[in-house]
Amino acid sequence: MKNTQYRVCIVGCGRMGGTIDEEVKETPRGKLPYSHAASYTACDQTIIVAAADVVEEKARYVCDKWDIPKYYLDYQEMIVQEKPDIVSIATRPGNHADITKFAAENGVKGIYCDKPLCASMEEADAMLDVCEKYDIKFNLGTQRRFTPGYTKMREILESGELGARRSIISYTGGAALWGYTHAADLILFLASDSPIEYVQGNVAVDNADFEDNRTDSDPAIVMGFIKFKNGINGISIPGTAYEFEVNCSEGTVRSLNNGLGFQLRKRQGQHNAILDVSFPEYERKSGTVGCIEDIIEAIETDTDTLGNIQLAHRSTEMVFAIVDSQRQKGMRVNIPMENRGLYLGRW
């Protein structure tokens, strides 16, 4: 079905929807395109038939920039009229659940939802239910799991050449939904997407802010501990270069400088020391394009995507559980967490 061209509609014509490529320059860790519109344009099997935004100026600008034939101010009208195969959600998280539900109930086959998934676990549960009901091929916009350097990192771990995984250390931080979502997904990815047993965390938020079970802001994650059911421990600590290190019985593998490079060390030599070896060659490719191609492959083969709704739901629950641990003054939060209504931010 490689000659099939899939109709795409984009909801949200802001930065990730269609303009971030104007500010993000080419870097050694990956390639443009970056925005939804740019990436669909670069993909031979997709054609953008329309885009929607409540701000007409934004909708018109993105459509002019990417030669999209039609814009709408109402995404529901767009989906009903254009009958897309794939809907791309590039809005703030407050309406992701509503858009996902409407798209799923109106015949779309795939959804690419930019991060974060949503603003509460109640919304995440609703998204999971509707995507499973309608067999939606879903990917969350946490592009690192679609970026070849990180996928090579996981291949090394899965091969067993470094022995048993003991811990994954994330040298990251950032706002829970807006920034840490990326870290949570990559920790999960490097842990073989294992289910989670429990989480503990520390978050930069005034505890009084939890009185209505809704924070005024998107609070910053300071530290987190994730116990995976497969025995791997995930640890988040503050860092400066957005790096991830996996410590194993026979060596370590680490991403450097936000994916600019990778380091591989193995136990070897007379003294059985952990020494540097060459990290394998890998393709330099846009993670956003990889995400879209993965949705298409899942549609054509009726298989799961690499960042499917179950995994997006799991990594999102990791984030909310870290925040809920702070709400409970550092208590361990078992998964599934009880407080499904905890809402982060004012969207």
Side-chain angles (χ1 to χ4, degrees):
M1 298 176 66
K2 293 298 182 184
N3 294 325
T4 302
Q5 200 166 44
Y6 294 89
R7 294 169 60 84
V8 175
C9 284
I10 298 174
V11 183
C13 295
R15 196 164 169 261
M16 284 307 300
T19 65
I20 193 172
D21 303 84
E22 297 171 358
E23 61 187 82
V24 175
K25 305 302 180 183
E26 195 82 19
T27 71
R29 67 172 171 267
K31 289 187 175 181
L32 298 176
Y34 197 175
S35 71
H36 291 229
S39 298
Y40 286 114
T41 301
C43 182
D44 292 337
Q45 285 191 265
T46 54
I47 180 170
I48 310 172
V49 295
D53 199 288
V54 294
V55 179
E56 186 172 6
E57 182 181 359
K58 288 184 177 181
R60 185 186 297 113
Y61 180 83
V62 165
C63 287
D64 288 346
K65 180 178 178 65
W66 298 108
D67 295 323
I68 301 170
K70 194 171 183 181
Y71 73 82
Y72 291 79
L73 303 183
D74 183 333
Y75 78 84
Q76 294 186 353
E77 180 187 358
M78 176 180 67
I79 291 171
V80 170
Q81 292 294 324
E82 301 295 338
K83 297 178 172 56
D85 300 299
I86 299 171
V87 164
S88 230
I89 303 174
T91 64
R92 294 296 179 99
N95 60 2
H96 285 187
D98 291 339
I99 299 170
T100 296
K101 183 175 186 294
F102 188 86
E105 291 175 343
N106 283 273
V108 307
K109 300 173 182 176
I111 294 176
Y112 169 25
C113 180
D114 215 298
K115 62 83 188 171
L117 182 67
C118 53
S120 75
M121 285 310 299
E122 285 180 346
E123 293 176 349
D125 294 341
M127 294 173 77
L128 175 66
D129 289 346
V130 77
C131 286
E132 289 186 334
K133 179 179 179 179
Y134 291 95
D135 191 25
I136 300 298
K137 307 307 180 184
F138 184 100
N139 268 334
L140 186 64
T142 43
Q143 297 99 334
R144 286 171 181 80
R145 75 164 50 227
F146 305 102
T147 303
Y150 292 104
T151 57
K152 181 63 68 176
M153 194 175 173
R154 174 157 156 167
E155 285 173 14
I156 291 168
L157 295 166
E158 298 289 346
S159 74
E161 65 181 278
L162 295 182
R165 270 168 280 187
R166 291 172 172 168
S167 66
I168 300 166
I169 304 174
S170 168
Y171 300 93
T172 61
L177 296 183
W178 211 248
Y180 190 77
T181 295
H182 280 298
D185 182 72
L186 194 57
I187 293 168
L188 180 67
F189 181 67
L190 296 174
S192 298
D193 292 321
S194 168
I196 301 167
E197 184 177 341
Y198 66 84
V199 167
Q200 287 179 279
N202 181 268
V203 180
V205 61
D206 186 341
N207 286 338
D209 199 10
F210 289 118
E211 287 183 0
D212 59 354
N213 210 31
R214 176 171 182 161
T215 61
D216 287 328
S217 63
D218 184 9
I221 301 294
V222 179
M223 289 186 288
F225 177 81
I226 305 98
K227 181 67 174 181
F228 291 99
K229 287 189 176 180
N230 64 4
I232 298 173
N233 297 315
I235 304 162
S236 285
I237 60 175
T240 56
Y242 214 88
E243 298 183 342
F244 297 81
E245 178 178 275
V246 185
N247 294 288
C248 306
S249 59
E250 301 303 318
T252 66
V253 60
R254 181 168 179 162
S255 65
L256 304 173
N257 295 306
N258 198 12
L260 283 173
F262 295 84
Q263 180 187 47
L264 179 61
R265 300 166 66 214
K266 292 183 180 180
R267 193 180 300 281
Q268 58 187 297
Q270 179 182 358
H271 302 291
N272 218 20
I274 305 292
L275 303 175
D276 285 338
V277 298
S278 296
F279 191 85
E281 291 294 320
Y282 58 92
E283 181 184 8
R284 306 278 179 174
K285 181 179 178 179
S286 162
T288 312
V289 171
C291 172
I292 292 167
E293 290 175 344
D294 184 59
I295 291 174
I296 293 170
E297 182 176 357
I299 291 172
E300 294 185 343
T301 60
D302 193 23
T303 55
D304 282 338
T305 53
L306 296 177
N308 57 69
I309 186 61
Q310 292 85 4
L311 298 180
H313 184 277
R314 187 173 298 164
S315 65
T316 298
E317 189 159 15
M318 183 196 306
V319 176
F320 278 94
I322 290 174
V323 178
D324 199 49
S325 176
Q326 174 70 41
R327 185 186 69 86
Q328 298 185 57
K329 299 179 173 57
M331 293 290 290
R332 177 184 295 181
V333 176
N334 293 321
I335 303 297
M337 58 186 285
E338 293 182 4
N339 186 9
R340 314 304 281 182
L342 177 61
Y343 194 100
L344 304 185
R346 301 280 173 175
W347 307 105

